[in-house]
Amino acid sequence: MAANYEYEEAAAGEEGESGGYDPNYVADSVKSFVVHMYRHIREKNVYEIHQMCETSFQSLSERLFKETPWPSVEAIAPYVDNDHVFCLLYREMWFRHLYARLSPTLKQRIDSYDNYCSLFQVVLHGVVNMQLPNQWLWDMVDEFVYQFQSFCQFRAKLKNKTEQEVALLRQHDKAWNVYGVLNFLQALVEKSSIVQILEQEEDKEHFTSTDGYDYSGGSNVLKVLGYFSIVGLLRVHCLLGDYHTALKWLQPIDISQQGVYTSVIGCHIATIYHYGFANLMLRRYVDAVREFNKILLYIFKTKQYHQKSPQYEQILKKNEQMYALLAVSLSLCPQTKLVDDSVNSQLREKYGEKMMRMQRFDDEAFGIYDELFSYACPKFITPSAPSFEEPLVNYNQDAYRLQLKMFLYEVKQQQLLSGVRTFLKVYSSISLAKLAKYMEVDESTLRTILLTYKHKTHSVDSNGGIISNADIDFYMNNDMIYVVESKPVKRYGDFFLRQIAKLEGVINDMDRVKLE
Amino acid sequence: MGKEIESPQEQSSYTVEQLVAVNPFNPEILPDLENHVNEQVTSQTYSLEANLCLLRLYQFEPERMNTHIVAQILVKALMAMPTPDFSLCLFLIPERVQMEEQFKALIVLSHYLETGRFQQFWDEAAKNRHIFEAVPGFEQAIQAYASHLLSLSYQKVPRSVLAEAVNMDGASLEKFIEQQVTNSGWIVEKEDGSIVLPQNEFNHPELKKNTGENVPLEHIARIFPILG
């Protein structure tokens, strides 16, 4: 079954119940927090804003708001000149805290959507003149998509809904409507002209080099929200099962390079996770393996630096999920040279045995493919509004079940290939008749198996060309099969270049040495 | 709201490709996309992006789904093999719709093509003629896929294997082979009638581009100061 995302999704909690929560009471530390935050935002002190979001907000939440929401926006508004935009930002953090620590009611979910609408409208009308930390801007887009996904799951569980909830759902049919969500993300991408900015980076635009920040007195908010919305659209399309379009949206961002997406680790991981998953479903296994390898190596080297951050748990979770996806990809498309040693040893540790069993393609193997896919896949959604006809059922698993079924169907088609691979490893040439006898099939069946092998190991790349993913390949001449093993090519050229440069360095150093 | 919904008059001045690129999350374009599918069928063109856009809109508003159009999209996707377009479309079609007879038949046909079982494919296709009789170019597209797959796998292929794959014999097979000889570089072996397929890196491993050893000029340029 699909694992839960970061937060718990228990039955709807009550507003203002736990431990005598008074939404109007503002502790001194909270007053101080909002006053300082407001000042830092007005003064465009990005570093301080970042510290307040990452550290102060978390420690205050831990100390005072472990089981209750923060004070209502009406209560803190007087301390910040009733600033409209600040109040929208405060409410964004308020709801994010609610989703993380408590369970939102239906009314709260709807209110949160309204808040995002208002906030994005303000940004889209271009009246915002702030510089906000990338981490916060990413958190906004990330949370927006997360709450949408959460709402679709929530809405699809109709069975135990009360009459009031059903009435409220019917009444507020625009809240978290899929058109609304997608159009907002697209509007942010378009209004910010981020695609054109990224295209013109070589000549005149400076976006990546400044990490998206505007050093000429302007605002980074629209541009960076537009940029992160690209990743948002990648994510939503994966949730819908449209992997081709998901990757198309991501195209403006060059993931072979550093960029603003790597400036926030949560964004970096979300981008590569969804890129890899989409490629896996598109059967472009090599592309998936390559990117999973890179990010897993990166996390391996850098996770110690994020131990204190609020994103740490999520980083670890995604790390584990990507190892599972890597195990699946390599079982479907064995590769010898794409995975780094440190990643490979972790992979063997976690999934070595399961990978062996998956490559047997028997019933047990399908069970493992099912298990790993279900553990690691995104939480797919049914985007359409429910029909409220009796009997009310839960259909929140439908989308996931469809994607799982399609995936296992593909796995099943590849069932015969591992048998062929074993024989191809052993022979340099063999007649069809002989191989058919060993595999206990007739010749014409063997021909179809060999064609399947060719088809499944040769994928169509984004330009329409054919690339071979086969670690071991063959060709046929009438009735004979000739095996071709792809040997890893030794790169002598690079080796010599490096050694030449190194020797030059040593000679220069020696020249500098003065002898007594 | 981000995007304003345009009136139908303004919309018809955009091509469908433009609509899909600029305004994909708009339920008003659904009729245009449906018409576009019919156009693809009659004019033997194909647009994956437009069809995915339509399937998404059907996902958002299932009551508006037109299963006949969905079937046409799937037939066109089948004709686009070896790309995985057929699966891409299935990802967006709810399970209960996939259980309908016409879709079950299409899925079986796709399965045969995915696993190189051309004989079973043509047998099954014959039983379901009504599904693709209305889609011109269907046979040719599948025959092109069959030729493609054979070219990846064989240097020389027995005539009988080819005949089974493209579902032809006698005079029509001769004509087909002649066309390929002229257009695609096929050669017919005189002794046994088997077909020598054009050389490519997949059936002739020695032709595989040895990317490993190419050192770009920029890299060499870095050591010019040392050598000079």
Side-chain angles (χ1 to χ4, degrees):
Chain A
M1 303 298 265
N4 279 325
Y5 198 70
E6 315 139 274
Y7 319 127
E8 290 291 319
E9 296 245 341
E14 301 294 320
E15 188 168 4
E17 280 273 305
S18 4
Y21 165 64
D22 175 10
N24 296 316
Y25 169 64
V26 181
D28 278 341
S29 45
V30 176
K31 179 171 156 193
S32 166
F33 175 83
V34 297
V35 166
H36 281 111
M37 176 77 108
Y38 179 53
R39 180 161 60 87
H40 292 316
I41 291 180
R42 279 203 329 279
E43 293 173 358
K44 292 190 178 178
N45 195 329
V46 170
Y47 176 76
E48 287 296 334
I49 302 171
H50 180 86
Q51 288 301 103
M52 296 204 77
C53 287
E54 292 293 289
T55 320
S56 321
F57 187 81
Q58 299 301 326
S59 55
L60 277 175
S61 298
E62 190 62 29
R63 224 168 12 101
L64 301 175
F65 304 111
K66 239 176 157 153
E67 284 159 25
T68 66
W70 276 61
S72 71
V73 69
E74 291 83 14
I76 59 105
Y79 303 116
V80 294
D81 301 335
N82 289 297
D83 186 282
H84 176 59
V85 176
F86 183 87
C87 290
L88 292 175
L89 291 171
Y90 176 82
R91 268 174 72 88
E92 196 271 326
M93 295 174 78
W94 192 93
F95 281 111
R96 211 170 346 125
H97 166 83
L98 185 81
Y99 270 79
R101 302 261 182 173
L102 308 162
S103 289
T105 63
L106 175 53
K107 182 76 179 44
Q108 286 168 333
R109 291 175 187 270
I110 294 170
D111 289 342
S112 178
Y113 180 71
D114 286 337
N115 192 58
Y116 274 116
C117 287
S118 307
L119 184 56
F120 289 150
Q121 296 280 31
V122 165
V123 173
L124 285 166
H125 281 121
V127 292
V128 154
N129 190 18
M130 303 180 287
Q131 285 255 68
L132 296 179
N134 286 348
Q135 177 72 57
W136 192 357
L137 293 169
W138 163 251
D139 282 340
M140 270 188 229
V141 175
D142 189 38
E143 184 72 14
F144 181 63
V145 175
Y146 165 68
Q147 290 190 12
F148 167 60
Q149 169 200 301
S150 169
F151 185 81
C152 289
Q153 297 279 332
F154 171 82
R155 180 179 58 182
K157 292 185 204 154
L158 289 174
K159 214 155 126 181
N160 295 325
K161 294 260 183 300
T162 66
E163 266 184 47
Q164 296 159 312
E165 283 176 319
V166 172
L168 207 56
L169 275 173
R170 281 186 131 125
Q171 188 192 359
H172 292 273
D173 57 349
K174 286 278 178 279
W176 296 113
N177 179 285
V178 65
Y179 287 117
V181 170
L182 285 169
N183 277 314
F184 264 121
L185 290 172
Q186 190 199 8
L188 285 167
V189 172
E190 293 215 359
K191 200 88 206 295
S192 63
S193 306
I194 188 66
V195 175
Q196 290 82 332
I197 292 177
L198 289 171
E199 278 169 9
Q200 290 162 358
E201 279 220 282
E202 305 247 318
D203 312 322
K204 49 180 179 134
E205 292 291 344
H206 298 286
F207 182 74
T208 306
S209 50
T210 61
D211 257 354
Y213 291 110
D214 188 316
Y215 292 118
S216 45
S219 162
N220 72 334
V221 174
L222 178 58
K223 270 189 290 191
V224 175
L225 278 180
Y227 181 89
F228 288 140
S229 294
I230 292 177
V231 182
L233 283 162
L234 161 73
R235 198 167 144 200
V236 173
H237 281 83
C238 285
L239 292 176
L240 296 172
D242 187 352
Y243 307 108
H244 175 91
T245 315
L247 290 178
K248 194 131 190 284
W249 277 109
L250 183 63
Q251 256 171 9
I253 297 182
D254 182 359
I255 58 166
S256 68
Q257 312 248 21
Q258 302 270 29
V260 174
Y261 75 103
T262 52
S263 68
V264 177
I265 188 158
C267 180
H268 191 183
I269 291 177
T271 307
I272 303 299
Y273 166 81
H274 287 95
Y275 173 87
F277 188 83
N279 274 289
L280 171 65
M281 297 305 266
L282 286 170
R283 308 184 211 159
R284 298 202 201 131
Y285 302 114
V286 172
D287 289 332
V289 168
R290 191 177 289 128
E291 289 304 320
F292 283 142
N293 175 60
K294 260 174 37 193
I295 190 82
L296 288 170
L297 189 61
Y298 178 75
I299 296 175
F300 181 69
K301 290 185 180 158
T302 59
K303 67 176 181 227
Q304 53 191 320
Y305 304 118
H306 297 275
Q307 264 172 0
K308 299 273 172 51
S309 106
Q311 289 93 22
Y312 191 57
E313 253 180 63
Q314 184 55 2
I315 294 173
L316 292 181
K317 174 77 187 280
K318 278 278 170 288
N319 190 52
E320 293 305 305
Q321 285 179 317
M322 288 192 286
Y323 270 110
L325 292 176
L326 185 60
V328 165
S329 307
L330 286 172
S331 299
L332 288 170
C333 180
Q335 298 286 316
T336 43
K337 34 189 168 127
L338 283 185
V339 184
D340 248 70
D341 287 335
S342 31
V343 173
N344 208 13
S345 62
Q346 292 263 313
L347 182 66
R348 298 285 145 208
E349 217 180 282
K350 296 176 205 280
Y351 292 113
E353 176 155 352
K354 289 196 170 157
M355 281 173 73
M356 251 173 37
R357 288 192 271 159
M358 279 195 282
Q359 283 169 52
R360 285 191 209 133
F361 283 101
D362 51 19
D363 282 338
E364 194 197 348
F366 291 122
I368 303 178
Y369 275 111
D370 186 326
E371 177 198 325
L372 294 188
F373 182 88
S374 303
Y375 169 67
C377 69
K379 270 201 127 173
F380 303 107
I381 55 173
T382 307
S384 53
S387 79
F388 293 101
E389 295 160 29
E390 298 291 324
L392 296 178
V393 292
N394 285 350
Y395 62 91
N396 57 311
Q397 296 281 326
D398 285 4
Y400 148 75
R401 269 202 289 264
L402 174 61
Q403 301 301 314
L404 174 66
K405 180 173 168 184
M406 301 296 315
F407 173 72
L408 289 177
Y409 186 70
E410 176 64 29
V411 172
K412 193 126 216 294
Q413 281 179 350
Q414 301 214 20
Q415 190 173 19
L416 293 159
L417 303 188
S418 76
V420 169
R421 194 177 270 121
T422 327
F423 283 105
L424 291 179
K425 277 191 163 29
V426 178
Y427 291 94
S428 59
S429 68
I430 181 172
S431 72
L432 270 155
K434 224 180 189 176
L435 183 55
K437 204 167 78 172
Y438 290 154
M439 290 184 69
E440 294 174 1
V441 295
D442 63 36
E443 262 188 57
S444 63
T445 308
L446 178 59
R447 284 188 197 273
T448 65
I449 294 174
L450 291 170
L451 285 180
T452 311
Y453 185 92
K454 276 289 186 176
H455 174 59
K456 293 294 187 190
T457 57
H458 290 68
S459 51
V460 184
D461 68 17
S462 35
N463 301 322
I466 302 284
I467 16 172
S468 165
N469 301 325
D471 56 342
I472 190 156
D473 208 345
F474 68 90
Y475 63 90
M476 291 186 273
N477 217 328
N478 271 342
D479 292 332
M480 282 299 291
I481 303 167
Y482 298 92
V483 179
V484 181
E485 184 140 10
S486 52
K487 289 189 195 31
V489 181
K490 282 207 193 309
R491 301 178 66 94
Y492 293 114
D494 275 353
F495 177 78
F496 281 128
L497 280 172
R498 273 202 304 276
Q499 296 302 317
I500 290 172
K502 213 168 170 182
L503 178 62
E504 186 67 14
V506 169
I507 293 176
N508 287 337
D509 284 342
M510 282 173 64
D511 279 341
R512 276 199 286 273
V513 172
K514 287 182 170 55
L515 292 172
E516 297 296 302
Chain B
M1 269 308 233
K3 261 277 168 300
E4 286 115 24
I5 297 186
E6 295 154 342
S7 66
Q9 291 85 11
E10 282 168 37
Q11 269 179 173
S12 52
S13 60
Y14 289 99
T15 67
V16 169
E17 275 72 30
Q18 284 172 318
L19 282 178
V20 168
V22 166
N23 209 358
F25 310 126
N26 179 0
E28 309 262 308
I29 69 172
L30 195 141
D32 297 277
L33 292 172
E34 287 179 331
N35 289 336
H36 189 59
V37 174
N38 291 325
E39 264 172 46
Q40 288 176 52
V41 168
T42 48
S43 62
Q44 295 200 47
T45 50
Y46 178 59
S47 171
L48 175 66
E49 320 266 322
N51 295 346
L52 288 176
C53 189
L54 178 56
L55 290 175
R56 277 198 313 266
L57 291 180
Y58 283 156
Q59 228 192 4
F60 301 162
E61 293 177 86
E63 357 39 276
R64 292 173 81 180
M65 178 181 272
N66 179 331
T67 50
H68 174 67
I69 302 244
V70 175
Q72 284 184 310
I73 291 179
L74 285 177
V75 173
K76 290 300 269 181
L78 212 55
M79 289 161 65
M81 284 196 78
T83 67
D85 293 4
F86 191 83
S87 306
L88 296 189
C89 295
L90 280 188
F91 286 133
L92 297 172
I93 300 173
E95 253 183 282
R96 53 176 170 75
V97 174
Q98 289 189 29
M99 308 275 242
E100 290 177 23
E101 277 313 312
Q102 57 177 337
F103 295 110
K104 282 211 298 226
L106 284 167
I107 291 172
V108 164
L109 288 168
S110 156
H111 178 71
Y112 287 143
L113 288 180
E114 287 282 332
T115 51
R117 292 180 214 175
F118 291 106
Q119 189 189 24
Q120 287 99 317
F121 170 81
W122 292 113
D123 285 344
E124 193 66 27
K127 292 188 210 147
N128 289 285
R129 251 185 231 292
H130 55 282
I131 300 184
F132 3 84
E133 254 163 0
V135 183
F138 180 76
E139 267 186 63
Q140 293 87 318
I142 306 299
Q143 285 159 346
Y145 167 63
S147 306
H148 154 86
L149 197 50
L150 292 174
S151 302
L152 288 186
S153 323
Y154 288 92
Q155 284 187 352
K156 210 167 10 152
V157 61
R159 203 185 189 83
S160 52
V161 172
L162 172 67
E164 189 182 86
V166 296
N167 196 39
M168 288 177 173
D169 56 14
S172 48
L173 179 62
E174 286 303 324
K175 189 152 168 242
F176 178 77
I177 295 176
E178 258 175 54
Q179 275 175 345
Q180 299 289 14
V181 166
T182 331
N183 300 332
S184 314
W186 287 20
I187 303 172
V188 183
E189 279 282 302
K190 296 229 182 357
E191 303 96 59
D192 57 1
S194 62
I195 314 294
V196 177
L197 293 164
Q199 296 186 2
N200 57 56
E201 67 183 88
F202 306 109
N203 63 9
H204 275 79
E206 61 271 18
L207 289 180
K208 193 165 176 166
K209 291 178 282 268
N210 205 350
T211 50
E213 271 298 41
N214 295 336
V215 185
L217 182 60
E218 306 92 67
H219 292 184
I220 306 276
R222 284 191 214 138
I223 62 163
F224 281 163
I226 302 175
L227 302 173

